[in-house]
mmCIF file of all heavy atoms in Angstrom:
data_model
loop_
_atom_site.group_PDB
_atom_site.id
_atom_site.type_symbol
_atom_site.label_atom_id
_atom_site.label_comp_id
_atom_site.label_asym_id
_atom_site.label_seq_id
_atom_site.Cartn_x
_atom_site.Cartn_y
_atom_site.Cartn_z
ATOM 1 N N PRO A 1 43.023 -61.087 -71.975
ATOM 2 C CA PRO A 1 43.238 -59.982 -72.797
ATOM 3 C C PRO A 1 42.107 -59.152 -73.102
ATOM 4 O O PRO A 1 40.986 -59.823 -73.062
ATOM 5 C CB PRO A 1 43.871 -60.678 -74.083
ATOM 6 C CG PRO A 1 44.404 -61.942 -73.660
ATOM 7 C CD PRO A 1 43.463 -62.488 -72.565
ATOM 8 N N THR A 2 42.279 -57.940 -73.346
ATOM 9 C CA THR A 2 40.944 -57.074 -73.469
ATOM 10 C C THR A 2 40.306 -57.530 -74.720
ATOM 11 O O THR A 2 38.967 -57.111 -74.958
ATOM 12 C CB THR A 2 41.339 -55.525 -73.684
ATOM 13 O OG1 THR A 2 42.325 -55.518 -74.692
ATOM 14 C CG2 THR A 2 42.005 -55.148 -72.392
ATOM 15 N N THR A 3 40.882 -58.269 -75.642
ATOM 16 C CA THR A 3 40.203 -58.671 -76.997
ATOM 17 C C THR A 3 39.642 -59.990 -76.856
ATOM 18 O O THR A 3 39.003 -60.489 -77.847
ATOM 19 C CB THR A 3 41.246 -58.497 -77.927
ATOM 20 O OG1 THR A 3 42.380 -59.438 -77.785
ATOM 21 C CG2 THR A 3 41.604 -57.200 -78.414
ATOM 22 N N THR A 4 39.620 -60.657 -75.615
ATOM 23 C CA THR A 4 39.041 -62.000 -75.542
ATOM 24 C C THR A 4 37.428 -61.853 -75.780
ATOM 25 O O THR A 4 36.820 -61.083 -75.205
ATOM 26 C CB THR A 4 39.334 -62.540 -74.153
ATOM 27 O OG1 THR A 4 40.598 -62.662 -74.025
ATOM 28 C CG2 THR A 4 38.580 -63.863 -73.925
ATOM 29 N N ASP A 5 36.913 -62.770 -76.608
ATOM 30 C CA ASP A 5 35.577 -62.973 -76.770
ATOM 31 C C ASP A 5 34.954 -63.822 -75.637
ATOM 32 O O ASP A 5 34.990 -65.145 -75.702
ATOM 33 C CB ASP A 5 35.419 -63.725 -78.177
ATOM 34 C CG ASP A 5 33.816 -63.839 -78.432
ATOM 35 O OD1 ASP A 5 32.961 -63.391 -77.740
ATOM 36 O OD2 ASP A 5 33.544 -64.405 -79.518
ATOM 37 N N TRP A 6 34.310 -63.182 -74.700
ATOM 38 C CA TRP A 6 33.880 -63.806 -73.502
ATOM 39 C C TRP A 6 32.691 -64.701 -73.774
ATOM 40 O O TRP A 6 32.292 -65.660 -73.108
ATOM 41 C CB TRP A 6 33.554 -62.902 -72.392
ATOM 42 C CG TRP A 6 34.839 -62.590 -71.640
ATOM 43 C CD1 TRP A 6 35.451 -61.406 -71.725
ATOM 44 C CD2 TRP A 6 35.511 -63.438 -70.833
ATOM 45 N NE1 TRP A 6 36.591 -61.569 -70.984
ATOM 46 C CE2 TRP A 6 36.670 -62.861 -70.431
ATOM 47 C CE3 TRP A 6 35.405 -64.845 -70.560
ATOM 48 C CZ2 TRP A 6 37.608 -63.377 -69.560
ATOM 49 C CZ3 TRP A 6 36.367 -65.359 -69.664
ATOM 50 C CH2 TRP A 6 37.411 -64.589 -69.341
ATOM 51 N N ALA A 7 31.837 -64.296 -74.864
ATOM 52 C CA ALA A 7 30.680 -65.135 -75.152
ATOM 53 C C ALA A 7 31.159 -66.530 -75.591
ATOM 54 O O ALA A 7 30.614 -67.589 -75.388
ATOM 55 C CB ALA A 7 29.883 -64.455 -76.314
ATOM 56 N N ALA A 8 32.355 -66.628 -76.218
ATOM 57 C CA ALA A 8 32.858 -67.905 -76.823
ATOM 58 C C ALA A 8 33.448 -68.743 -75.686
ATOM 59 O O ALA A 8 33.368 -69.945 -75.602
ATOM 60 C CB ALA A 8 33.997 -67.568 -77.761
ATOM 61 N N TRP A 9 33.864 -68.027 -74.562
ATOM 62 C CA TRP A 9 34.506 -68.738 -73.459
ATOM 63 C C TRP A 9 33.541 -68.999 -72.201
ATOM 64 O O TRP A 9 33.979 -69.608 -71.305
ATOM 65 C CB TRP A 9 35.738 -67.913 -72.899
ATOM 66 C CG TRP A 9 36.984 -68.054 -73.747
ATOM 67 C CD1 TRP A 9 37.498 -67.289 -74.598
ATOM 68 C CD2 TRP A 9 37.792 -69.163 -73.608
ATOM 69 N NE1 TRP A 9 38.678 -67.784 -75.185
ATOM 70 C CE2 TRP A 9 38.926 -68.930 -74.616
ATOM 71 C CE3 TRP A 9 37.866 -70.352 -72.943
ATOM 72 C CZ2 TRP A 9 39.907 -69.881 -74.794
ATOM 73 C CZ3 TRP A 9 38.984 -71.338 -73.151
ATOM 74 C CH2 TRP A 9 39.919 -71.039 -73.982
ATOM 75 N N HIS A 10 32.362 -68.626 -72.533
ATOM 76 C CA HIS A 10 31.461 -68.669 -71.401
ATOM 77 C C HIS A 10 31.289 -70.128 -70.751
ATOM 78 O O HIS A 10 31.329 -70.393 -69.595
ATOM 79 C CB HIS A 10 30.035 -68.202 -71.754
ATOM 80 C CG HIS A 10 28.905 -68.327 -70.668
ATOM 81 N ND1 HIS A 10 28.168 -69.537 -70.530
ATOM 82 C CD2 HIS A 10 28.648 -67.577 -69.614
ATOM 83 C CE1 HIS A 10 27.189 -69.229 -69.531
ATOM 84 N NE2 HIS A 10 27.640 -68.058 -68.913
ATOM 85 N N THR A 11 31.189 -71.091 -71.697
ATOM 86 C CA THR A 11 30.965 -72.462 -71.327
ATOM 87 C C THR A 11 32.200 -72.969 -70.448
ATOM 88 O O THR A 11 32.048 -73.605 -69.514
ATOM 89 C CB THR A 11 30.750 -73.350 -72.520
ATOM 90 O OG1 THR A 11 29.551 -72.931 -73.191
ATOM 91 C CG2 THR A 11 30.542 -74.802 -72.039
ATOM 92 N N ALA A 12 33.285 -72.633 -70.962
ATOM 93 C CA ALA A 12 34.613 -73.106 -70.371
ATOM 94 C C ALA A 12 34.708 -72.351 -69.004
ATOM 95 O O ALA A 12 35.151 -73.073 -67.981
ATOM 96 C CB ALA A 12 35.749 -72.718 -71.092
ATOM 97 N N LEU A 13 34.215 -71.184 -68.900
ATOM 98 C CA LEU A 13 34.265 -70.534 -67.510
ATOM 99 C C LEU A 13 33.417 -71.090 -66.519
ATOM 100 O O LEU A 13 33.665 -71.342 -65.361
ATOM 101 C CB LEU A 13 34.019 -69.004 -67.751
ATOM 102 C CG LEU A 13 33.837 -68.214 -66.486
ATOM 103 C CD1 LEU A 13 35.184 -68.005 -65.860
ATOM 104 C CD2 LEU A 13 33.392 -66.671 -66.831
ATOM 105 N N VAL A 14 32.137 -71.378 -66.871
ATOM 106 C CA VAL A 14 31.311 -72.063 -66.013
ATOM 107 C C VAL A 14 31.680 -73.456 -65.691
ATOM 108 O O VAL A 14 31.619 -73.805 -64.496
ATOM 109 C CB VAL A 14 29.814 -72.156 -66.774
ATOM 110 C CG1 VAL A 14 28.811 -73.020 -65.857
ATOM 111 C CG2 VAL A 14 29.282 -70.861 -66.840
ATOM 112 N N ARG A 15 32.281 -74.082 -66.547
ATOM 113 C CA ARG A 15 32.841 -75.474 -66.340
ATOM 114 C C ARG A 15 33.891 -75.458 -65.223
ATOM 115 O O ARG A 15 33.944 -76.266 -64.357
ATOM 116 C CB ARG A 15 33.441 -76.100 -67.612
ATOM 117 C CG ARG A 15 34.151 -77.383 -67.505
ATOM 118 C CD ARG A 15 34.752 -77.847 -68.782
ATOM 119 N NE ARG A 15 35.762 -78.849 -68.687
ATOM 120 C CZ ARG A 15 36.592 -79.175 -69.713
ATOM 121 N NH1 ARG A 15 36.517 -78.504 -70.772
ATOM 122 N NH2 ARG A 15 37.460 -80.062 -69.538
ATOM 123 N N LEU A 16 34.733 -74.483 -65.237
ATOM 124 C CA LEU A 16 35.783 -74.316 -64.387
ATOM 125 C C LEU A 16 35.266 -74.061 -62.845
ATOM 126 O O LEU A 16 35.562 -74.589 -61.887
ATOM 127 C CB LEU A 16 36.878 -73.297 -64.835
ATOM 128 C CG LEU A 16 37.989 -72.888 -63.808
ATOM 129 C CD1 LEU A 16 38.788 -74.131 -63.396
ATOM 130 C CD2 LEU A 16 38.702 -71.801 -64.276
ATOM 131 N N ILE A 17 34.219 -73.089 -62.827
ATOM 132 C CA ILE A 17 33.714 -72.733 -61.523
ATOM 133 C C ILE A 17 32.953 -74.033 -60.923
ATOM 134 O O ILE A 17 33.211 -74.246 -59.774
ATOM 135 C CB ILE A 17 32.858 -71.506 -61.753
ATOM 136 C CG1 ILE A 17 33.648 -70.369 -62.078
ATOM 137 C CG2 ILE A 17 32.018 -71.165 -60.358
ATOM 138 C CD1 ILE A 17 32.681 -69.055 -62.446
ATOM 139 N N ASP A 18 32.168 -74.668 -61.803
ATOM 140 C CA ASP A 18 31.577 -75.852 -61.247
ATOM 141 C C ASP A 18 32.435 -76.934 -60.728
ATOM 142 O O ASP A 18 32.184 -77.714 -59.995
ATOM 143 C CB ASP A 18 30.690 -76.465 -62.458
ATOM 144 C CG ASP A 18 29.371 -75.498 -62.666
ATOM 145 O OD1 ASP A 18 29.104 -74.598 -61.712
ATOM 146 O OD2 ASP A 18 28.769 -75.691 -63.800
ATOM 147 N N ALA A 19 33.723 -76.990 -61.382
ATOM 148 C CA ALA A 19 34.653 -77.978 -61.121
ATOM 149 C C ALA A 19 35.489 -77.712 -59.802
ATOM 150 O O ALA A 19 36.167 -78.552 -59.183
ATOM 151 C CB ALA A 19 35.697 -78.286 -62.103
ATOM 152 N N LEU A 20 35.364 -76.606 -59.259
ATOM 153 C CA LEU A 20 36.113 -76.236 -57.978
ATOM 154 C C LEU A 20 35.736 -77.151 -56.898
ATOM 155 O O LEU A 20 34.601 -77.261 -56.464
ATOM 156 C CB LEU A 20 35.917 -74.796 -57.534
ATOM 157 C CG LEU A 20 36.290 -73.643 -58.597
ATOM 158 C CD1 LEU A 20 35.847 -72.319 -58.178
ATOM 159 C CD2 LEU A 20 37.950 -73.738 -58.744
ATOM 160 N N PRO A 21 36.886 -77.767 -56.234
ATOM 161 C CA PRO A 21 36.599 -78.571 -55.106
ATOM 162 C C PRO A 21 36.053 -77.927 -53.906
ATOM 163 O O PRO A 21 36.319 -76.673 -53.820
ATOM 164 C CB PRO A 21 37.988 -79.238 -54.769
ATOM 165 C CG PRO A 21 38.781 -79.106 -56.053
ATOM 166 C CD PRO A 21 38.242 -77.816 -56.665
ATOM 167 N N GLY A 22 35.282 -78.610 -53.079
ATOM 168 C CA GLY A 22 34.796 -77.973 -52.009
ATOM 169 C C GLY A 22 35.742 -77.633 -50.780
ATOM 170 O O GLY A 22 35.881 -76.543 -50.242
ATOM 171 N N ALA A 23 36.691 -78.574 -50.660
ATOM 172 C CA ALA A 23 37.900 -78.538 -49.659
ATOM 173 C C ALA A 23 38.888 -77.623 -50.399
ATOM 174 O O ALA A 23 39.348 -78.042 -51.442
ATOM 175 C CB ALA A 23 38.375 -79.849 -49.345
ATOM 176 N N TRP A 24 39.358 -76.497 -49.673
ATOM 177 C CA TRP A 24 40.253 -75.670 -50.307
ATOM 178 C C TRP A 24 41.459 -75.375 -49.306
ATOM 179 O O TRP A 24 41.293 -75.193 -48.131
ATOM 180 C CB TRP A 24 39.659 -74.275 -50.586
ATOM 181 C CG TRP A 24 40.292 -73.406 -51.510
ATOM 182 C CD1 TRP A 24 41.322 -72.673 -51.276
ATOM 183 C CD2 TRP A 24 39.768 -73.061 -52.860
ATOM 184 N NE1 TRP A 24 41.541 -71.922 -52.460
ATOM 185 C CE2 TRP A 24 40.604 -71.996 -53.320
ATOM 186 C CE3 TRP A 24 38.677 -73.381 -53.536
ATOM 187 C CZ2 TRP A 24 40.496 -71.634 -54.485
ATOM 188 C CZ3 TRP A 24 38.412 -72.804 -54.959
ATOM 189 C CH2 TRP A 24 39.479 -71.866 -55.426
ATOM 190 N N PRO A 25 42.677 -75.402 -49.862
ATOM 191 C CA PRO A 25 43.886 -75.159 -48.941
ATOM 192 C C PRO A 25 43.741 -73.643 -48.302
ATOM 193 O O PRO A 25 43.618 -72.765 -49.178
ATOM 194 C CB PRO A 25 45.037 -75.384 -49.867
ATOM 195 C CG PRO A 25 44.501 -76.156 -51.014
ATOM 196 C CD PRO A 25 43.120 -75.855 -51.130
ATOM 197 N N ILE A 26 43.866 -73.494 -47.147
ATOM 198 C CA ILE A 26 43.838 -72.261 -46.449
ATOM 199 C C ILE A 26 44.995 -71.395 -46.861
ATOM 200 O O ILE A 26 46.146 -71.826 -47.001
ATOM 201 C CB ILE A 26 43.989 -72.323 -44.943
ATOM 202 C CG1 ILE A 26 42.650 -73.180 -44.444
ATOM 203 C CG2 ILE A 26 43.859 -70.992 -44.177
ATOM 204 C CD1 ILE A 26 41.308 -72.442 -44.752
ATOM 205 N N GLY A 27 44.653 -70.055 -47.174
ATOM 206 C CA GLY A 27 45.692 -69.142 -47.528
ATOM 207 C C GLY A 27 46.106 -69.240 -49.052
ATOM 208 O O GLY A 27 47.287 -68.821 -49.362
ATOM 209 N N THR A 28 45.333 -69.866 -49.905
ATOM 210 C CA THR A 28 45.772 -70.034 -51.296
ATOM 211 C C THR A 28 44.693 -69.451 -52.208
ATOM 212 O O THR A 28 43.627 -69.252 -51.877
ATOM 213 C CB THR A 28 45.865 -71.478 -51.630
ATOM 214 O OG1 THR A 28 44.751 -72.161 -51.525
ATOM 215 C CG2 THR A 28 46.947 -72.187 -50.683
ATOM 216 N N VAL A 29 45.257 -69.107 -53.471
ATOM 217 C CA VAL A 29 44.454 -68.589 -54.468
ATOM 218 C C VAL A 29 44.706 -69.265 -55.871
ATOM 219 O O VAL A 29 45.781 -69.759 -56.158
ATOM 220 C CB VAL A 29 44.807 -66.989 -54.661
ATOM 221 C CG1 VAL A 29 44.337 -66.509 -55.938
ATOM 222 C CG2 VAL A 29 44.464 -66.265 -53.374
ATOM 223 N N LEU A 30 43.665 -69.331 -56.719
ATOM 224 C CA LEU A 30 43.796 -69.824 -57.954
ATOM 225 C C LEU A 30 43.696 -68.763 -58.878
ATOM 226 O O LEU A 30 42.758 -67.915 -58.884
ATOM 227 C CB LEU A 30 42.653 -70.900 -58.246
ATOM 228 C CG LEU A 30 42.642 -71.389 -59.759
ATOM 229 C CD1 LEU A 30 43.822 -72.228 -59.997
ATOM 230 C CD2 LEU A 30 41.362 -72.226 -59.917
#
């Protein structure tokens, strides 16, 4: 949402990106 406080969510966003597995199913999107 346009009103989301990204400063508050920064840690969770970085945590998600760091957790992405290296092997990825071809032709897919998260």
Side-chain angles (χ1 to χ4, degrees):
T2 55
T3 54
T4 295
D5 181 358
W6 278 110
W9 278 103
H10 177 266
T11 300
L13 178 62
V14 172
R15 174 183 164 197
L16 174 61
I17 294 174
D18 286 344
L20 293 173
W24 198 289
I26 297 298
T28 62
V29 165
L30 175 62

